[in-house]
Amino acid sequence: MWLSDAQKIGVGLTSFGGLFMVLGVLLLFDSGLLAIGNLFFLAGITLLIGLQKTLGFFAQRNKLGGTVCFLGGIFLVLVKWPMVGMIIELFGFVNLFGDFFPVVLSFLRKLPLIGRLWNLPIFSRAY
């Protein structure tokens, strides 16, 4: 499967968004880095899967609570309440994307170096 140019940019923006969020948390909840990370992540997801599918994903009836928490957390980060915002955003993220975790874990188990780590008994019991 080949990615279009917009999807490649989406992968990059999503990756940079995750990187900025990790840096924002490591630098004691720096609200600037967290805000940039959130905006990059949302823009990347939109470019990666398209605007229609993004809106459809976030507007699903069974995911509305997660959407409200995720977007509310982003809003709190943008208005300089980074710690509270990230906690609420993390809760929303888990509710929104929790269905994808088993797929990601099975993919990680197939990777050469990381797969050995995930196949250790201590990690294999978790899923």
Side-chain angles (χ1 to χ4, degrees):
M1 180 176 108
W2 298 101
L3 297 176
S4 69
D5 289 339
Q7 288 174 322
K8 290 176 187 175
I9 293 170
V11 168
L13 283 175
T14 304
S15 301
F16 277 117
L19 176 70
F20 277 101
M21 283 192 271
V22 167
L23 285 174
V25 169
L26 288 176
L27 294 173
L28 303 175
F29 293 94
D30 181 57
S31 59
L33 287 173
L34 292 172
I36 291 170
N38 285 326
L39 295 176
F40 278 179
F41 181 78
L42 286 178
I45 291 293
T46 303
L47 284 174
L48 190 60
I49 64 174
L51 183 61
Q52 292 279 344
K53 289 183 182 178
T54 302
L55 291 176
F57 176 76
F58 283 107
Q60 288 178 14
R61 202 164 189 65
N62 61 339
K63 295 183 185 276
L64 276 179
T67 300
V68 168
C69 287
F70 185 70
L71 296 177
I74 290 173
F75 175 76
L76 288 174
V77 168
L78 290 174
V79 295
K80 307 287 185 186
W81 284 46
M83 191 172 293
V84 175
M86 284 305 292
I87 292 169
I88 293 172
E89 187 179 335
L90 181 64
F91 178 75
F93 185 84
V94 169
N95 282 327
L96 283 171
F97 299 104
D99 299 339
F100 299 117
F101 291 153
V103 174
V104 171
L105 288 176
S106 68
F107 173 75
L108 288 175
R109 291 181 81 187
K110 295 176 184 175
L111 292 176
L113 296 175
I114 298 172
R116 290 183 184 168
L117 176 72
W118 284 110
N119 286 325
L120 291 174
I122 191 167
F123 293 117
S124 62
R125 280 185 258 149
Y127 59 95

